[in-house]
Amino acid sequence: MSLPQHIQTWFAARGWAPRPHQLAVLEHAAAGDSVLLISPTGGGKTLAGFLPSLAELSEPRSGGGIHTLYVSPLKALAVDIARNLEAPVRDMGLPITIETRTGDTPQHKRVRQRQNPPDILITTPEQVSLMVADPHAAHLLKDLRTVILDELHAMVTSKRGVLLSLALTRVAAHAPRARRIGLSATVADPDALRAWLAPAGQPPVPLVMGQQGAAPNIRILKSAERVPWSGHSSLYAIPELYDALKRARLALIFVNTRSQAEMVFQSLWEANDDHLPIALHHGSLDVSQRRKVEAAMAEGRLRAVVCTSTLELGIDWGDVDLVIHVGAPKGSSRLLQRIGRSNHRLDMPSEALLVPSNRFEVLECEAALQAARVNAQDTEYPMVLKFDVLAQHVMGRACAGPFRPDELYREVTGAWTYRKLTRADFDKVIDYVATGGYALKAYERYAKLKPQADGSLRLTHPRLIMSYKLNAGTIVEEEMLKLRLASVKRRLGKRVVMGGRVLGEMEEWFLSQLSQGDTFLFAGEVLRFEGLDEFGALASRGGAREPMIPSYQGGKFPLSTYLAERVREMLADPKSWTHLPQQVQDWLSLQRFKSVVPRAEDMLVETFPRADKHYMVCYPFEGRLAHQTLGMLLTRRLERWGAQPLGFVASEYALVIWTVRDLALMIASGRISLAKLFDEDMMGDDLDAWLAESNLMKRTFRNAAIIAGLIERRFPGKEKTQRQMTVNTDLIYDVLRSHQPDHILLRAAWDDAAEGLIDAQRLAMMLKRIRGHIVHKALEVVSPLAVPVLLEIGRESIYGEAHDALLAEAADDLIGEAMRLV
Amino acid sequence: MSRTHRICLGGLDFIPDLSGALYAPDFATLLVADLHLEKGTSLARRGVHLPPYDSRESLEQLRRVIAAAKPQRLIFLGDSFHDPAARERIDGQDLALLLSITATIPTIWITGNHDPAPPGDIGGTIAAEVALGPVSLRHEPKPLGDGMLEIAGHLHPAATVVQRGHRIRCRCFIADDRRIVMPAFGSYTGALGIGSDAFAGLFEDYKVWMLGSRAIHRFPAARVR
């Protein structure tokens, strides 16, 4: 397909020419092939995706269904893409209709779209699932020629992507000729994405690479201040950070968690002597508040925005010329993606500044910087085969009309994500959807699916369609409560709290631990908790300067395996330390003197007594989640072997366990063998036994139960009645586990926990890696490397300033002990 | 049955069990509140297929408590059945288990708001209230006049303790020197925080006995919310 004349004219009128990758995509599409385009931001990626459709739609076509389905992970992005596409389409003089369909699209508009479909429909993955669950899907999709999947790298690593892959099998059933165009940022394993994208029975789709931009210019903040030993606040660097953003036109300041965003924002505001317009943007803020910030960025009214991953994807608001990353970036790809938010001209390097919040993060930032310089990628592998997601898809399939299980099994296993699904497991999922899948046959009479004479399964009641629609999707939010601004008055001697405007949403677990009068940070200000009412939580502007209750949660993203390896290598090679700040070099040199610096392939285990306890610290560098699991499993084992463990704390880099008995002695006398302690066999029965009792499983079970439709989502406003109707999923989990431990949803929950919350796969790989490579060092006192993780002990129970003083005191003792020269 | 804790009411001792049952040794009577049998299957008509094992779980638990306490009388404090149709839905095996209990121990079913008319074919007798010495047993707590004492259910009490930054919430018995409110026994029954409005005005200087996973823990009012 060559570009039609008026599109060529459009390019020429702007002094542009189509880029090679845009033409390559066009060529593949013209041949009817699916294709994957990997290109950095700013490479005209979205236009590349749309060009084949624009070219085809410039000719008259027969049929009136949707021609192009564009799927984006973000609702807001869908609206912006539509707007950005309308302008060129108008300028090219093309008679193309473009519409959006998101969760916010009103019912009458959906009806109209069904009767009179647009040429191009811009939508989200959830909407695709809902569309194919509609009995009229065939009519809508009969003329479909193209499915464009934008930001594919971001979708495939979650259950949204898994659900989308299933919805695409249904799209293909209605429109076998439709090609798929995947648009992605750079990923670690393009082949997996190529296979993901391929329609059933076809080889991985061809790959087109966009032009790489200039390598970014990344620096690590070399602070004159003392870099803290532990913690995540980065407050030491605020003055230097402020200086850096003063010199920028518009700076994006990325942090890893909402509470970090709050803390950094508040501290910047206090340092803001020049009254620079600095804003805050994170997922818990009210949507209208976020839209305001985005608009202000676009209009150039802001100088800096403190944000979480909410500004990581999507179109650009404003002309960002500096990206600051506070805290370690956790992965090379994540860092590159965030840096890509600045300076969208491919020929100019983007500017980025990394601000480590503690000494280990200095190492991690250095590793990330080196990785980013060579454009190393460490994105996650696409997620596959989720039973809960399949159950939702089966229900959706039933909503569209009767189906034959044999055909559905063939269709589902045509998706790369479900290629390994066995027929036995598929039948279990069908059985679950129909009657719950229980050994005790209580629901035969109330089955949702019933077999017909011809062997097909049919939905038993149209009401189930409504329930499916309300509960569709795979994003299960933490239980959130609306937070409203309250005014407190005294009336007849009684305290009356009146709710005002909505400030945003906060996690229920956090709000429910507060007492009236407690102060905390939200939306950049210190609020005072006033209580709960039937609409949510109430807080007033209390006038306090210091928040009393920290809302710190560990980072959401674990350190990537790739970066962990680089950190271990860097640590093992003192010659590479010259890049590091002097104070960090001193710290590592002292570690070499007082204990040992492990080789890259070794894992160091240190033991030492302290006060009246005995400590063991190991350094796997595998991320907090894997370390927490390791801690659970090791303490169980040490308990059995009589070491009397008292507790453990995990950080991103290390794990510390403390015991009553002298571990060094037990190791020296052969009572405990470190090789046996860290043996891979802990991943068997010990893991099962611990996990079954753990709260983590209850969390993943709740998610699986909601996605699979076992229990209904809670909706704001309906909560009061629903709470009485629903049963707490923890209770369901306990009962199901004791009566039918092999139920399909328990398996789903176990898989999720093993992959996500406990990082079992990573732990298993680590245990394999260190076999025969454990180096034990018995010390008299704590080592310099161990100080940061020891400082984490008791962190979660700190409240208020007095406790902070105590902690600082304890910290100073510890550091003195470690740094004292013998 | 653990005999380490006692709840004293009107000079009588009552022994709380980790399961949520309450034993009255002076009357050799076991009290059980809010069993909510067949709560799991109660939404089946709407297409909600919760694991239908809650009745079995609750009844097996009850059988274990009975085996340990060996009571001569069994009194249910109402809401024993989740809804009027529960009797029709209960599985044959679970019903047999229930009948084997009521066939061997004299049983009284106190009526509750969920089961104003408990089934008549499951053994035992039905009553709106029962007097156990000076103590009235009923489903919903009532305002008490001078010298009146009661044990009730209905509210499904739970208490929360914050320790070292961790929030621990458990079902509990809550009592002062006039009234005991028992926790719900059923395996799918939720719980209501004792700080909520439903408890307002019921208790003066109260204590709670929280049901941990392995033991019962007693706390004064000031320590819990």
Side-chain angles (χ1 to χ4, degrees):
Chain A
M1 182 175 2
S2 62
L3 272 185
Q5 191 54 50
H6 37 291
I7 299 183
Q8 287 187 30
T9 315
W10 180 83
F11 270 102
R14 278 154 188 78
W16 296 349
R19 298 215 174 115
H21 66 263
Q22 292 172 331
L23 293 173
V25 170
L26 193 66
E27 214 162 285
H28 284 293
D33 293 340
S34 295
V35 58
L36 172 66
L37 170 62
I38 290 183
S39 166
T41 336
K45 194 163 41 174
T46 310
L47 186 58
F50 276 114
L51 268 185
S53 298
L54 297 185
E56 280 182 4
L57 285 166
S58 58
E59 308 293 332
R61 64 178 180 126
S62 59
I66 297 167
H67 175 281
T68 295
L69 200 57
Y70 167 94
V71 186
S72 133
L74 300 173
K75 197 161 62 178
L77 185 57
V79 176
D80 288 315
I81 289 284
R83 211 177 296 141
N84 288 0
L85 191 61
E86 271 159 9
V89 162
R90 201 174 43 236
D91 296 345
M92 291 171 192
L94 299 176
I96 299 175
T97 50
I98 303 163
E99 287 188 23
T100 59
R101 176 178 164 133
T102 70
D104 298 337
T105 305
Q107 185 57 29
H108 66 86
K109 193 171 165 193
R110 284 161 198 253
V111 171
R112 205 197 54 221
Q113 282 175 351
R114 202 160 66 200
Q115 288 158 349
N116 188 12
D119 297 313
I120 298 178
L121 185 69
I122 292 176
T123 189
T124 59
E126 288 72 22
Q127 294 299 320
V128 180
S129 293
L130 288 171
M131 271 170 67
V132 296
D134 191 301
H136 304 282
H139 162 72
L140 267 177
L141 298 173
K142 65 182 179 355
D143 300 310
L144 188 76
R145 293 303 314 274
T146 300
V147 183
I148 303 171
L149 304 163
D150 204 355
E151 310 268 18
L152 190 60
H153 63 283
M155 293 197 279
V156 297
T157 54
S158 70
K159 287 189 180 177
R160 294 184 84 195
V162 179
L163 184 65
L164 177 62
S165 72
L166 291 174
L168 289 176
T169 63
R170 295 263 67 226
V171 171
H174 291 302
R177 289 194 316 147
R179 64 200 163 222
R180 299 172 183 172
I181 300 179
L183 309 175
S184 167
T186 319
V187 291
D189 189 352
D191 289 346
L193 224 51
R194 291 171 56 212
W196 192 101
L197 206 50
Q202 292 184 27
V205 306
L207 172 67
V208 171
M209 292 295 287
Q211 187 199 343
Q212 284 300 319
N217 187 10
I218 312 171
R219 291 173 297 131
I220 296 177
L221 180 76
K222 295 264 170 9
S223 180
E225 302 292 321
R226 205 179 76 152
V227 181
W229 290 79
S230 73
H232 300 270
S233 67
S234 306
L235 295 186
Y236 77 96
I238 289 292
E240 285 153 316
L241 212 154
Y242 183 69
D243 278 345
L245 68 87
K246 259 199 319 203
R247 286 194 294 272
R249 203 163 50 240
L250 172 57
L252 279 188
I253 302 158
F254 278 106
V255 297
N256 287 325
T257 64
R258 190 204 71 212
S259 56
Q260 273 177 312
E262 293 282 1
M263 225 158 15
V264 168
F265 177 73
Q266 201 205 17
S267 312
L268 274 180
W269 203 246
E270 275 167 19
N272 191 0
D273 296 331
D274 307 272
H275 305 288
L276 301 180
I278 301 174
L280 178 64
H281 193 286
H282 62 65
S284 303
L285 291 178
D286 199 47
V287 182
S288 61
Q289 180 65 28
R290 271 182 277 161
R291 294 294 100 84
K292 267 187 215 159
V293 172
E294 288 156 14
M297 278 172 77
E299 289 159 21
R301 286 190 280 118
L302 291 178
R303 290 290 300 279
V305 181
V306 180
C307 59
T308 58
S309 38
T310 46
L311 284 183
E312 199 173 290
L313 291 180
I315 69 152
D316 299 309
W317 288 281
D319 198 2
V320 178
D321 60 343
L322 175 65
V323 167
I324 299 177
H325 201 289
V326 176
K330 300 294 158 205
S332 173
S333 294
R334 175 172 303 282
L335 178 62
L336 286 165
Q337 178 79 14
R338 289 180 163 185
I339 291 175
R341 293 281 90 191
S342 85
N343 173 42
H344 276 194
R345 291 184 45 195
L346 289 176
D347 52 343
M348 296 260 295
S350 306
E351 294 290 327
L353 177 66
L354 306 185
V355 184
S357 44
N358 59 52
R359 290 182 179 205
F360 266 116
E361 284 193 355
V362 174
L363 300 181
E364 194 184 324
C365 284
E366 182 66 34
L369 179 147
Q370 289 175 14
R373 272 192 190 140
V374 297
N375 200 22
Q377 300 294 337
D378 52 5
T379 47
E380 284 171 68
Y381 199 68
M383 186 180 272
V384 297
L385 218 164
K386 293 289 169 188
F387 294 131
D388 51 349
V389 176
L390 179 59
Q392 189 179 109
H393 179 72
V394 168
M395 194 61 197
R397 177 64 193 83
C399 290
F403 67 93
R404 288 171 194 277
D406 290 351
E407 283 168 18
L408 185 59
Y409 176 67
R410 218 167 23 244
E411 190 176 283
V412 162
T413 48
W416 178 80
T417 44
Y418 282 87
R419 67 196 187 284
K420 290 182 180 161
L421 174 71
T422 65
R423 181 62 199 244
D425 283 341
F426 173 79
D427 288 340
K428 280 196 181 119
V429 171
I430 295 278
D431 189 28
Y432 160 78
V433 174
T435 60
Y438 304 111
L440 178 62
K441 297 292 173 201
Y443 297 119
E444 302 290 292
R445 271 191 293 162
Y446 307 102
K448 293 189 211 177
L449 306 179
K450 282 224 164 115
Q452 304 293 106
D454 65 355
S456 67
L457 291 172
R458 171 190 280 280
L459 207 62
T460 51
H461 201 288
R463 184 185 49 222
L464 295 168
I465 297 176
M466 187 47 71
S467 160
Y468 163 80
K469 283 184 179 169
L470 279 174
N471 291 284
T474 56
I475 301 174
V476 178
E477 303 286 342
E478 282 247 33
E479 307 249 345
M480 301 291 269
L481 286 179
K482 279 236 182 322
L483 181 65
R484 284 177 311 141
L485 194 62
S487 54
V488 182
K489 294 195 180 85
R490 296 216 150 255
R491 206 171 285 162
L492 303 171
K494 270 183 82 177
R495 230 172 129 262
V496 181
V497 182
M498 304 277 289
R501 73 181 170 88
V502 175
L503 295 168
E505 289 187 328
M506 273 189 103
E507 294 89 349
E508 183 173 352
W509 67 263
F510 177 76
L511 288 167
S512 60
Q513 68 171 10
L514 301 180
S515 302
Q516 195 257 319
D518 284 350
T519 52
F520 60 98
L521 262 183
F522 187 79
E525 50 185 341
V526 180
L527 296 176
R528 199 179 127 92
F529 184 68
E530 300 292 354
L532 296 165
D533 67 5
E534 70 258 46
F535 303 110
L538 296 164
S540 62
R541 295 204 163 103
R545 277 181 62 81
E546 292 290 323
M548 195 157 58
I549 309 291
S551 53
Y552 171 76
Q553 266 183 301
K556 269 186 283 186
F557 319 108
L559 176 65
S560 81
T561 316
Y562 177 82
L563 275 196
E565 207 175 307
R566 288 194 86 120
V567 170
R568 281 198 303 269
E569 280 165 11
M570 193 190 311
L571 201 60
D573 175 20
K575 284 195 292 292
S576 71
W577 298 353
T578 46
H579 297 290
L580 303 170
Q582 192 58 45
Q583 47 184 330
V584 176
Q585 288 188 40
D586 292 348
W587 171 53
L588 295 180
S589 302
L590 206 58
Q591 169 70 16
R592 196 146 62 131
F593 179 68
K594 301 201 65 165
S595 174
V596 66
V597 168
R599 291 182 303 173
E601 66 273 24
D602 289 344
M603 185 184 72
L604 173 63
V605 176
E606 294 173 331
T607 50
F608 52 87
R610 198 167 177 274
D612 50 355
K613 301 186 193 77
H614 295 273
Y615 289 78
M616 178 177 87
V617 184
C618 62
Y619 305 89
F621 292 93
E622 297 290 356
R624 186 189 306 269
L625 295 176
H627 294 164
Q628 250 163 10
T629 307
L630 181 64
M632 290 285 184
L633 297 177
L634 290 183
T635 43
R636 279 175 97 94
R637 220 164 240 205
L638 288 169
E639 181 87 58
R640 265 206 311 275
W641 295 352
Q644 297 178 35
L646 294 168
F648 74 87
V649 160
S651 75
E652 283 284 280
Y653 316 98
L655 168 72
V656 55
I657 298 178
W658 55 101
T659 60
V660 173
R661 300 282 303 279
D662 185 343
L663 275 176
L665 192 66
M666 290 179 89
I667 294 168
S669 67
R671 291 241 357 237
I672 284 182
S673 143
L674 282 177
K676 269 202 183 135
L677 182 63
F678 286 92
D679 193 287
E680 290 162 72
D681 61 11
M682 76 170 80
M683 301 302 288
D685 296 348
D686 275 352
L687 180 67
D688 286 348
W690 163 63
L691 199 54
E693 290 167 20
S694 109
N695 281 327
L696 297 176
M697 272 290 275
K698 292 185 174 164
R699 255 167 74 189
T700 56
F701 180 76
R702 175 177 168 266
N703 285 8
I706 290 176
I707 291 170
L710 180 71
I711 57 164
E712 297 180 341
R713 286 171 195 269
R714 282 169 45 180
F715 295 99
K718 285 177 72 182
E719 296 199 347
K720 237 182 173 174
T721 50
Q722 282 197 346
R723 210 180 288 229
Q724 290 160 354
M725 303 296 272
T726 55
V727 179
N728 180 324
T729 48
D730 291 3
L731 299 175
I732 297 176
Y733 171 79
D734 286 336
V735 168
L736 188 55
R737 186 161 70 85
S738 62
H739 291 269
Q740 196 173 337
D742 63 345
H743 190 267
I744 194 91
L745 282 191
L746 290 178
R747 283 173 58 199
W750 204 99
D751 288 349
D752 283 355
E755 277 175 33
L757 293 170
I758 63 166
D759 237 348
Q761 285 154 339
R762 186 151 176 197
L763 180 57
M765 268 160 45
M766 186 280 279
L767 293 173
K768 198 177 197 138
R769 167 171 71 77
I770 62 163
R771 197 167 42 187
H773 292 283
I774 300 176
V775 177
H776 175 220
K777 195 84 187 164
L779 304 171
E780 293 302 314
V781 294
V782 55
S783 76
L785 212 55
V787 169
V789 68
L790 258 73
L791 286 175
E792 300 264 344
I793 296 174
R795 181 170 286 276
E796 59 199 23
S797 55
I798 300 158
Y799 290 119
E801 284 171 31
H803 289 252
D804 270 333
L806 279 177
L807 185 78
E809 195 179 297
D812 284 344
D813 285 354
L814 204 58
I815 292 160
E817 208 175 301
M819 300 298 267
R820 201 173 302 135
L821 293 171
V822 204
Chain B
M1 172 175 268
S2 150
R3 289 183 184 254
T4 48
H5 287 281
R6 277 157 207 284
I7 306 176
C8 189
L9 190 68
L12 299 169
D13 277 341
F14 294 88
I15 300 168
D17 185 74
L18 194 53
S19 66
L22 187 65
Y23 186 60
D26 300 297
F27 305 90
T29 296
L30 189 72
L31 309 179
V32 175
D34 297 281
L35 201 55
H36 285 269
L37 290 173
E38 293 304 302
K39 181 171 181 183
T41 57
S42 65
L43 298 174
R45 234 173 254 286
R46 284 181 47 203
V48 179
H49 296 166
L50 299 182
Y53 302 112
D54 54 321
S55 296
R56 186 163 305 175
E57 178 81 16
S58 304
L59 290 169
E60 282 174 357
Q61 173 85 298
L62 180 61
R63 187 171 58 181
R64 282 193 290 273
V65 180
I66 289 172
K70 302 189 178 59
Q72 286 159 31
R73 190 160 48 158
L74 183 58
I75 302 178
F76 293 99
L77 266 64
D79 285 3
S80 308
F81 293 85
H82 188 69
D83 57 290
R87 166 69 185 83
E88 292 162 31
R89 294 194 308 271
I90 194 166
D91 178 71
Q93 199 184 328
D94 298 345
L95 181 65
L97 180 51
L98 176 62
L99 291 174
S100 75
I101 291 172
T102 57
T104 46
I105 307 169
T107 302
I108 303 174
W109 303 95
I110 291 177
T111 55
N113 51 315
H114 278 257
D115 55 352
D121 62 349
I122 47 165
T125 54
I126 297 169
E129 280 192 27
V130 174
L132 203 63
V135 182
S136 300
L137 308 180
R138 59 175 66 98
H139 180 60
E140 273 185 59
K142 278 208 320 213
L144 299 178
D146 273 352
M148 290 169 73
L149 304 168
E150 77 171 9
I151 299 177
H154 183 60
L155 294 174
H156 306 193
T160 301
V161 165
V162 177
Q163 177 71 9
R164 290 186 77 83
H166 295 280
R167 206 174 141 260
I168 306 152
R169 185 178 196 259
C170 308
R171 294 184 297 146
C172 69
F173 292 88
I174 173 168
D176 61 9
D177 51 14
R178 302 197 305 159
R179 174 185 281 132
I180 302 173
V181 172
M182 293 177 60
F185 191 92
S187 49
Y188 275 174
T189 47
L192 187 65
I194 54 170
S196 74
D197 291 347
F199 290 90
L202 283 182
F203 295 97
E204 277 163 22
D205 183 24
Y206 64 85
K207 292 187 180 65
V208 301
W209 286 258
M210 291 173 67
L211 308 179
S213 46
R214 287 184 187 83
I216 296 178
H217 312 272
R218 192 182 72 160
F219 292 99
R223 189 68 181 76
V224 292
R225 48 176 131 130

